[in-house]
Amino acid sequence: MPLTASAPRRPGAEALARVGHSSPAVDPSDTSPHAFPDGGTWRTEVPSVEGPEALAVVLEESARLDVPVHRISQGSGVWMLRDAEITEMAGACAARDIELCLFTGPRGTWDTGGSTRTDSGGGGLRARGHDALAGCVEDALRATELGVRCLLVADEGVLWTLHRMRAAGVLPADVTFKLSALTGPVNPASYAVYEQLGADSLNVPSDLTLAHLTEIRRVSRAPMDMYVEAPDDLGGYVRMYEAAELIRRGAPLYLKFGLSRSPGIYPYGAQLRDTALASARERVRRGRLVLDLLARHGACGGMSPLGSRLPGALRRFAVPAAVPVEAPLKAPTDAVDVPEGN
């Protein structure tokens, strides 16, 4: 079904009105005043595409079902892919003008810290200690050298560090940073802070209300990523019928085609191949269902042109000048030698 603009309508509005149930009036002040720099209000993303084989399935199925794709994202991390696999994925996406986004790691859920497995969740996905931060930086350097221009980040310190590296020219100026759904901000103040730390698009939890989206849009224009259908570990919410309102309230917005009632596949390996490929295929089909709903409701206008990826001008904290590395500490000159054996 082609994506052409028409007069939008609320789901079931006419039929409900005929039996005395009128739809709530739309408040124009709730509409986001923001858009992508290309003028579009929404883009699409297929998440959890864990390697070249799953990517091939997504590309084949999106062509078969005519599902436009702006971004492909992966969740296991740069470190779970060989150089040849990253290069293959980057080349396949570049050939189709699709942005490829790979996750930086390590993360708290996969290292030796046990607090993430407690009821409180501990520090969550954050990078624990200097070595984990350094691992994320190593992933970013390696991925960008292999042609990747979008990186998924789950830690505010990692985000600020990578943003400073981008500002200093250590990372390419056109690399973008996407905040993970497992770190996603839940109020307008935190959303604005992550934007200023360097985020170019921000996953928000899929249980945020429409009013929450409007609150965020009153303080920030940074692109928002939102699962129209969330994986079970993010709640399993299915919000397909709200897609038009999510766009109206949350623009500029990436519609993420997730999949509930599906086993987790992170970190991905060949033992999960059948699940990963079947899930990839079904995510694209779910995307087609969302696009069909938008078309039936006359709300499919406003999609960004395919190949669009940059977020436009965003607000940032001032990046401080590079600080020289301090020399190793030396013992005081008046230190007293202690005789051996005492």
Side-chain angles (χ1 to χ4, degrees), residues 233-245:
D233 62 353
L234 294 178
Y237 308 106
V238 182
R239 303 186 68 172
M240 291 184 184
Y241 267 110
E242 293 181 271
E245 274 294 282

Side-chain angles (χ1 to χ4, degrees), residues 24-38:
V26 174
D27 184 352
S29 68
D30 290 338
T31 303
S32 171
H34 306 296
F36 289 107
D38 52 58

Side-chain angles (χ1 to χ4, degrees), residues 73-74 77-78 81 86 89 100-104 143 148 150-152:
S73 60
Q74 175 252 18
V78 174
L81 293 168
I86 295 175
M89 294 179 74
L100 173 65
C101 190
L102 302 183
F103 218 132
T104 53
V148 177
C150 183
L151 299 170
L152 247 164

Side-chain angles (χ1 to χ4, degrees), residues 49 61 148 189 246 250 267:
V49 182
E61 198 70 357
V148 177
L246 294 175

Side-chain angles (χ1 to χ4, degrees), residues 141-162:
L141 293 170
R142 176 172 166 242
T144 53
E145 287 171 359
L146 294 172
V148 177
R149 286 298 179 268
C150 183
L151 299 170
L152 247 164
V153 181
D155 179 288
E156 59 270 40
V158 172
L159 174 61
W160 179 238
T161 300
L162 296 183

